Amino acid sequence: MAAAAAEAASRRLGAALRGISGAWYGRHMAAAERAIRTRLPLVDLVLEVRDARVPASSAFEPLRRRSPLEPDGRQVVVLNKADLADPSETEKWMTYMEKQRTCPCITVNSHSRESIKELLNAVRSRIREIKRGESDCTGTVLLVGIPNVGKSAIVNAMHQIGRIGAAEKGKLKHAIVSSHPGETRDISGYKVASHPNIYVLDTPGVLSPRFANDDSGPRLALTGAIKGSLLDEYDIAQFLLAVVNSREEYRRWENLNGAGDTNSNDNANTSRSHSKKRQYVSDHTQVSVSKGLELNVL
Ligand SMILES: Nc1nc2c(ncn2[C@@H]2O[C@H](COP(=O)(O)OP(=O)(O)OP(=O)(O)O)[C@@H](O)[C@H]2O)c(=O)[nH]1
């Protein structure tokens, strides 16, 4: 019954999205898509950032519509916001993507220095492989993805960790990071490493006016790729509650008041939930999905 309610809420939100018919895809997004397409063949590596909670729905359409990049191994999928996704389901996604053999896949939490270091190391070694035997050891990386998946947060963190040498200190640039989608309007370059020199181009998020299937739109609205102001927040909240109810996730919330709870693990979870609540008050884009929104896609 709870699953049926989730489906009904998803259908309602899907109908609302059809009602606004791709209103998020404005002129700036169309221009950004053209600019990204022009740069795709010119860079050494493309990092496609997706939301780890919805790895299929958050795929970047312009990459699917062009000829595959994998023959020269220039594409890497980055599942960001891994801290908000269920680790076991992320694991299943990684296995699935490995089996597909299209391109390597890395999970990232851009708020974690360790996680960004791992990403930076992976990018470094990929660029070294690509540039092997070439005298020019400067690598360029294009960071692409739908809105709000954390591209700018990743580029800021990489730039901060990777800037090398006293001369470059104080020249730190900052990409705009916001919980609202569509804040990045231009393509900007950031140096993230020396030896080899690596420059990352942060790009505006692009979300196709049409979705791959009926379920994708509601999932993307819930996780923040579509401006909440375009929709009735009541519909989004209803969908979230229906999804949570269908997973029986709410049972874990019974302990939130802390009364009578003596299990130390539960206490740890409870205090984490409290601090999350404080940090991201009223931001539905930071919803942590303990059971996947789209594992049924596999
Ligand atoms: N929990 C969590 N939040 C993240 C992570 N990465 C980014 N965010 C948050 O996600 C929101 C969007 O991040 P941005 O870096 O602005 O996303 P973007 O892809 O550049 O967005 P556009 O400008 O729309 O293209 C911000 O509120 C970030 O703080 C992550 O790994 N974990």
Side-chain angles (χ1 to χ4, degrees), residues 28-29 49 51 53 79-84 108-112 115-116 143-156 175-185 202-206 223-225 276 279-280 283 285-287:
H28 93 271
M29 221 180 249
V49 185
D51 189 321
R53 295 168 294 179
L79 296 184
N80 190 38
K81 305 198 184 183
D83 56 312
L84 299 179
V108 170
N109 164 9
S110 73
H111 293 168
S112 149
S115 178
I116 290 293
L143 206 61
V144 297
I146 65 168
N148 210 253
V149 284
K151 299 177 292 300
S152 300
I154 290 175
V155 85
N156 276 344
I176 300 170
V177 173
S178 162
S179 58
H180 301 291
E183 288 291 322
T184 308
R185 292 288 172 134
D202 184 24
T203 65
V206 174
T223 48
K276 253 189 190 162
Q279 193 180 353
Y280 302 122
D283 180 1
T285 69
Q286 285 286 336
V287 58

Side-chain angles (χ1 to χ4, degrees), residues 190-210:
Y190 299 79
K191 187 174 179 182
V192 301
S194 307
H195 317 296
N197 290 324
I198 300 177
Y199 292 87
V200 175
L201 298 172
D202 184 24
T203 65
V206 174
L207 180 63
S208 166
R210 277 176 299 279

Side-chain angles (χ1 to χ4, degrees), residues 3-291:
E7 263 176 43
S10 171
R11 271 201 305 275
R12 233 182 348 265
L13 196 49
L17 284 163
R18 279 192 297 280
I20 57 174
S21 166
W24 54 88
Y25 191 84
R27 269 172 41 200
H28 93 271
M29 221 180 249
E33 181 171 349
R34 281 195 300 276
I36 290 169
R37 282 180 188 283
T38 313
R39 282 166 179 80
L40 277 174
L42 306 176
V43 294
D44 297 307
L45 194 63
V46 177
L47 294 188
E48 181 196 356
V49 185
R50 300 193 194 179
D51 189 321
R53 295 168 294 179
V54 285
S57 298
S58 59
F60 186 63
E61 247 324 278
L63 281 183
R64 309 277 89 69
R65 282 190 257 130
R66 77 191 290 273
S67 54
L69 286 164
E70 81 271 16
D72 51 0
R74 293 191 305 120
Q75 190 186 341
V76 174
V77 169
V78 176
L79 296 184
N80 190 38
K81 305 198 184 183
D83 56 312
L84 299 179
D86 181 290
S88 65
E89 297 196 6
T90 302
E91 192 70 43
K92 287 177 196 160
W93 269 104
M94 299 287 284
T95 311
Y96 169 78
M97 290 177 107
E98 252 166 51
K99 275 194 195 139
Q100 298 287 300
R101 290 174 186 270
T102 43
C103 61
C105 180
I106 300 174
T107 58
V108 170
N109 164 9
S110 73
H111 293 168
S112 149
R113 203 176 158 82
E114 285 314 306
S115 178
I116 290 293
K117 270 189 187 165
E118 276 175 32
L119 174 64
L120 200 50
N121 285 340
V123 168
R124 259 200 202 105
S125 55
R126 202 71 204 90
I127 290 288
R128 282 202 186 103
E129 273 171 41
I130 290 167
K131 292 280 170 178
R132 190 175 295 144
E134 287 183 29
S135 53
D136 168 22
C137 63
T138 296
T140 49
V141 179
L142 194 65
L143 206 61
V144 297
I146 65 168
N148 210 253
V149 284
K151 299 177 292 300
S152 300
I154 290 175
V155 85
N156 276 344
M158 283 173 114
H159 179 56
Q160 198 158 36
I161 290 174
R163 78 192 196 280
I164 318 261
E168 288 172 49
K169 285 202 175 123
K171 284 190 188 170
L172 208 57
K173 287 166 72 176
H174 286 287
I176 300 170
V177 173
S178 162
S179 58
H180 301 291
E183 288 291 322
T184 308
R185 292 288 172 134
D186 302 304
I187 298 181
S188 315
Y190 299 79
K191 187 174 179 182
V192 301
S194 307
H195 317 296
N197 290 324
I198 300 177
Y199 292 87
V200 175
L201 298 172
D202 184 24
T203 65
V206 174
L207 180 63
S208 166
R210 277 176 299 279
F211 301 114
N213 58 58
D214 288 346
D215 297 327
S216 292
R219 289 166 182 162
L220 293 175
L222 179 59
T223 48
I226 298 167
K227 271 196 179 86
S229 56
L230 290 173
L231 293 157
D232 187 340
E233 292 208 327
Y234 180 80
D235 286 340
I236 299 177
Q238 283 242 310
F239 180 46
L240 170 61
L241 289 174
V243 168
V244 168
N245 279 339
S246 71
R247 304 298 196 276
E248 301 211 343
E249 171 76 353
Y250 64 90
R251 290 195 193 285
R252 286 176 41 194
W253 297 0
E254 283 171 1
N255 292 331
L256 274 178
N257 288 331
D261 186 0
T262 52
N263 179 304
S264 60
N265 265 343
D266 282 356
N267 276 335
N269 286 337
T270 302
S271 67
R272 261 204 309 276
S273 305
H274 273 312
S275 64
K276 253 189 190 162
K277 218 175 156 189
R278 273 198 301 277
Q279 193 180 353
Y280 302 122
V281 63
S282 81
D283 180 1
H284 72 80
T285 69
Q286 285 286 336
V287 58
S288 174
V289 192
S290 297
K291 280 284 171 248

